[in-house]
Amino acid sequence: LGHNVLVGYGNDSYSLNSAYGMNIFEKSNKTEVLKEITIGTADAGNYELYFALGDASSLDVEDMTYIGSGRMEDFGYVTHKLENPIYLDANVSKFSIVAYWELDDNTKPIPLSSNGYALYINMDLEQGVSYMSPYGDYWQDAYNMGAIVGIKAFTDDATYYAIATKTLTVNFEKDKLDVAS
């Protein structure tokens, strides 16, 4: 589901125009390639993306790997294609993606899908998979708000990805397929 709520940190006298969100993804028991990340956007501003193997909810963002940044122009979504796709071995069962949003004007930078609204009321939520933080050092579970942060990760099977991204010569013979790069 897409994001239907925006949240941020602050009080009556001061509000942050930036914040962090994290989603923890489970993957299959085969080697996959992380190639794209889509994040929800609340308004114009900049974003940064970070990666960590496993459940990173106990880590500071400074202990994660920076994997890219870009500019958001409006409310909606941005898909960030990784310049260097990340190979996730078959023995990796989870990985974490962190997004940092810094908006030009808006003081609610974190896009959430919240089950508190009509079409989202039956949305499946799981504790311990989606987090928020004002500074990227202490993570609050979005489950407690009935929500999940607007971060999506896209992977391909590593074998398919390797074939699809190379120039191939394919020879068909009876009962045999020979593929060479």
mmCIF file of all heavy atoms in Angstrom, residues 22-41:
data_model
loop_
_atom_site.group_PDB
_atom_site.id
_atom_site.type_symbol
_atom_site.label_atom_id
_atom_site.label_comp_id
_atom_site.label_asym_id
_atom_site.label_seq_id
_atom_site.Cartn_x
_atom_site.Cartn_y
_atom_site.Cartn_z
ATOM 1 N N MET A 22 13.162 3.225 8.713
ATOM 2 C CA MET A 22 13.842 1.970 8.407
ATOM 3 C C MET A 22 12.815 0.862 8.203
ATOM 4 O O MET A 22 11.842 0.775 8.959
ATOM 5 C CB MET A 22 14.761 1.549 9.562
ATOM 6 C CG MET A 22 15.412 0.183 9.355
ATOM 7 S SD MET A 22 16.168 -0.551 10.837
ATOM 8 C CE MET A 22 17.000 0.794 11.608
ATOM 9 N N ASN A 23 13.047 0.033 7.199
ATOM 10 C CA ASN A 23 12.291 -1.205 7.045
ATOM 11 C C ASN A 23 13.271 -2.361 6.986
ATOM 12 O O ASN A 23 14.347 -2.245 6.382
ATOM 13 C CB ASN A 23 11.420 -1.193 5.788
ATOM 14 C CG ASN A 23 10.144 -0.400 5.985
ATOM 15 O OD1 ASN A 23 9.798 -0.028 7.103
ATOM 16 N ND2 ASN A 23 9.460 -0.128 4.903
ATOM 17 N N ILE A 24 12.886 -3.454 7.625
ATOM 18 C CA ILE A 24 13.688 -4.672 7.630
ATOM 19 C C ILE A 24 12.991 -5.666 6.713
ATOM 20 O O ILE A 24 11.806 -5.951 6.879
ATOM 21 C CB ILE A 24 13.829 -5.229 9.056
ATOM 22 C CG1 ILE A 24 14.503 -4.180 9.944
ATOM 23 C CG2 ILE A 24 14.611 -6.544 9.048
ATOM 24 C CD1 ILE A 24 14.395 -4.446 11.413
ATOM 25 N N PHE A 25 13.738 -6.163 5.736
ATOM 26 C CA PHE A 25 13.184 -7.046 4.712
ATOM 27 C C PHE A 25 13.684 -8.469 4.902
ATOM 28 O O PHE A 25 14.850 -8.681 5.209
ATOM 29 C CB PHE A 25 13.585 -6.551 3.319
ATOM 30 C CG PHE A 25 13.059 -5.180 3.012
ATOM 31 C CD1 PHE A 25 13.814 -4.052 3.298
ATOM 32 C CD2 PHE A 25 11.799 -5.014 2.452
ATOM 33 C CE1 PHE A 25 13.328 -2.777 3.021
ATOM 34 C CE2 PHE A 25 11.306 -3.750 2.186
ATOM 35 C CZ PHE A 25 12.071 -2.629 2.466
ATOM 36 N N GLU A 26 12.785 -9.435 4.718
ATOM 37 C CA GLU A 26 13.167 -10.845 4.692
ATOM 38 C C GLU A 26 13.315 -11.256 3.245
ATOM 39 O O GLU A 26 12.600 -10.771 2.380
ATOM 40 C CB GLU A 26 12.099 -11.702 5.370
ATOM 41 C CG GLU A 26 12.059 -11.527 6.861
ATOM 42 C CD GLU A 26 11.153 -12.537 7.538
ATOM 43 O OE1 GLU A 26 11.032 -13.674 7.044
ATOM 44 O OE2 GLU A 26 10.578 -12.165 8.563
ATOM 45 N N LYS A 27 14.252 -12.138 2.979
ATOM 46 C CA LYS A 27 14.451 -12.611 1.613
ATOM 47 C C LYS A 27 14.455 -14.129 1.570
ATOM 48 O O LYS A 27 14.504 -14.789 2.597
ATOM 49 C CB LYS A 27 15.725 -12.038 0.994
ATOM 50 C CG LYS A 27 17.007 -12.410 1.712
ATOM 51 C CD LYS A 27 18.233 -11.971 0.955
ATOM 52 C CE LYS A 27 18.777 -12.934 -0.039
ATOM 53 N NZ LYS A 27 18.937 -14.316 0.281
ATOM 54 N N SER A 28 14.403 -14.661 0.365
ATOM 55 C CA SER A 28 14.389 -16.108 0.174
ATOM 56 C C SER A 28 15.759 -16.684 0.501
ATOM 57 O O SER A 28 16.711 -15.965 0.771
ATOM 58 C CB SER A 28 14.009 -16.438 -1.271
ATOM 59 O OG SER A 28 15.063 -16.029 -2.129
ATOM 60 N N ASN A 29 15.851 -17.994 0.419
ATOM 61 C CA ASN A 29 17.120 -18.658 0.730
ATOM 62 C C ASN A 29 17.967 -18.862 -0.526
ATOM 63 O O ASN A 29 18.752 -19.791 -0.614
ATOM 64 C CB ASN A 29 16.876 -19.987 1.440
ATOM 65 C CG ASN A 29 16.069 -20.945 0.594
ATOM 66 O OD1 ASN A 29 15.612 -20.601 -0.495
ATOM 67 N ND2 ASN A 29 15.886 -22.150 1.094
ATOM 68 N N LYS A 30 17.819 -17.984 -1.506
ATOM 69 C CA LYS A 30 18.678 -18.001 -2.691
ATOM 70 C C LYS A 30 19.415 -16.664 -2.772
ATOM 71 O O LYS A 30 19.054 -15.699 -2.097
ATOM 72 C CB LYS A 30 17.867 -18.274 -3.950
ATOM 73 C CG LYS A 30 16.783 -17.255 -4.215
ATOM 74 C CD LYS A 30 15.945 -17.676 -5.407
ATOM 75 C CE LYS A 30 14.786 -16.700 -5.559
ATOM 76 N NZ LYS A 30 13.875 -17.089 -6.594
ATOM 77 N N THR A 31 20.431 -16.604 -3.595
ATOM 78 C CA THR A 31 21.182 -15.364 -3.752
ATOM 79 C C THR A 31 20.355 -14.384 -4.573
ATOM 80 O O THR A 31 19.838 -14.724 -5.636
ATOM 81 C CB THR A 31 22.543 -15.629 -4.432
ATOM 82 O OG1 THR A 31 23.275 -16.548 -3.617
ATOM 83 C CG2 THR A 31 23.342 -14.349 -4.573
ATOM 84 N N GLU A 32 20.215 -13.178 -4.049
ATOM 85 C CA GLU A 32 19.438 -12.142 -4.715
ATOM 86 C C GLU A 32 20.303 -10.893 -4.876
ATOM 87 O O GLU A 32 21.332 -10.746 -4.216
ATOM 88 C CB GLU A 32 18.190 -11.797 -3.899
ATOM 89 C CG GLU A 32 17.208 -12.946 -3.789
ATOM 90 C CD GLU A 32 15.968 -12.596 -2.997
ATOM 91 O OE1 GLU A 32 15.542 -11.420 -3.027
ATOM 92 O OE2 GLU A 32 15.429 -13.490 -2.334
ATOM 93 N N VAL A 33 19.853 -9.998 -5.748
ATOM 94 C CA VAL A 33 20.549 -8.747 -5.995
ATOM 95 C C VAL A 33 19.589 -7.603 -5.682
ATOM 96 O O VAL A 33 18.522 -7.495 -6.284
ATOM 97 C CB VAL A 33 21.013 -8.645 -7.466
ATOM 98 C CG1 VAL A 33 21.702 -7.315 -7.719
ATOM 99 C CG2 VAL A 33 21.924 -9.795 -7.819
ATOM 100 N N LEU A 34 19.972 -6.757 -4.721
ATOM 101 C CA LEU A 34 19.205 -5.551 -4.401
ATOM 102 C C LEU A 34 19.591 -4.501 -5.427
ATOM 103 O O LEU A 34 20.754 -4.124 -5.542
ATOM 104 C CB LEU A 34 19.538 -5.064 -2.991
ATOM 105 C CG LEU A 34 18.920 -3.742 -2.558
ATOM 106 C CD1 LEU A 34 17.394 -3.820 -2.536
ATOM 107 C CD2 LEU A 34 19.461 -3.338 -1.195
ATOM 108 N N LYS A 35 18.609 -4.048 -6.215
ATOM 109 C CA LYS A 35 18.940 -3.139 -7.314
ATOM 110 C C LYS A 35 18.218 -1.802 -7.265
ATOM 111 O O LYS A 35 18.693 -0.830 -7.839
ATOM 112 C CB LYS A 35 18.692 -3.816 -8.652
ATOM 113 C CG LYS A 35 17.254 -4.243 -8.848
ATOM 114 C CD LYS A 35 17.043 -4.938 -10.166
ATOM 115 C CE LYS A 35 15.563 -5.062 -10.417
ATOM 116 N NZ LYS A 35 15.248 -5.373 -11.769
ATOM 117 N N GLU A 36 17.066 -1.732 -6.592
ATOM 118 C CA GLU A 36 16.304 -0.482 -6.525
ATOM 119 C C GLU A 36 15.627 -0.340 -5.170
ATOM 120 O O GLU A 36 15.254 -1.332 -4.553
ATOM 121 C CB GLU A 36 15.202 -0.451 -7.585
ATOM 122 C CG GLU A 36 15.674 -0.434 -8.995
ATOM 123 C CD GLU A 36 14.514 -0.448 -9.980
ATOM 124 O OE1 GLU A 36 13.349 -0.642 -9.597
ATOM 125 O OE2 GLU A 36 14.791 -0.259 -11.170
ATOM 126 N N ILE A 37 15.446 0.916 -4.774
ATOM 127 C CA ILE A 37 14.709 1.237 -3.557
ATOM 128 C C ILE A 37 13.734 2.355 -3.901
ATOM 129 O O ILE A 37 14.113 3.338 -4.541
ATOM 130 C CB ILE A 37 15.662 1.680 -2.432
ATOM 131 C CG1 ILE A 37 16.624 0.539 -2.097
ATOM 132 C CG2 ILE A 37 14.876 2.143 -1.204
ATOM 133 C CD1 ILE A 37 17.814 0.952 -1.302
ATOM 134 N N THR A 38 12.491 2.183 -3.498
ATOM 135 C CA THR A 38 11.494 3.230 -3.679
ATOM 136 C C THR A 38 11.106 3.754 -2.307
ATOM 137 O O THR A 38 10.881 2.978 -1.378
ATOM 138 C CB THR A 38 10.243 2.693 -4.409
ATOM 139 O OG1 THR A 38 10.633 2.302 -5.733
ATOM 140 C CG2 THR A 38 9.156 3.734 -4.503
ATOM 141 N N ILE A 39 11.071 5.090 -2.200
ATOM 142 C CA ILE A 39 10.645 5.706 -0.942
ATOM 143 C C ILE A 39 9.479 6.649 -1.221
ATOM 144 O O ILE A 39 9.389 7.247 -2.291
ATOM 145 C CB ILE A 39 11.791 6.481 -0.247
ATOM 146 C CG1 ILE A 39 12.331 7.613 -1.144
ATOM 147 C CG2 ILE A 39 12.897 5.529 0.175
ATOM 148 C CD1 ILE A 39 13.281 8.563 -0.441
ATOM 149 N N GLY A 40 8.597 6.747 -0.246
ATOM 150 C CA GLY A 40 7.543 7.737 -0.311
ATOM 151 C C GLY A 40 8.136 9.108 -0.064
ATOM 152 O O GLY A 40 9.169 9.244 0.595
ATOM 153 N N THR A 41 7.494 10.122 -0.627
ATOM 154 C CA THR A 41 7.976 11.487 -0.443
ATOM 155 C C THR A 41 6.830 12.373 0.030
ATOM 156 O O THR A 41 5.694 12.226 -0.402
ATOM 157 C CB THR A 41 8.574 12.052 -1.746
ATOM 158 O OG1 THR A 41 7.570 12.082 -2.749
ATOM 159 C CG2 THR A 41 9.731 11.202 -2.222
#
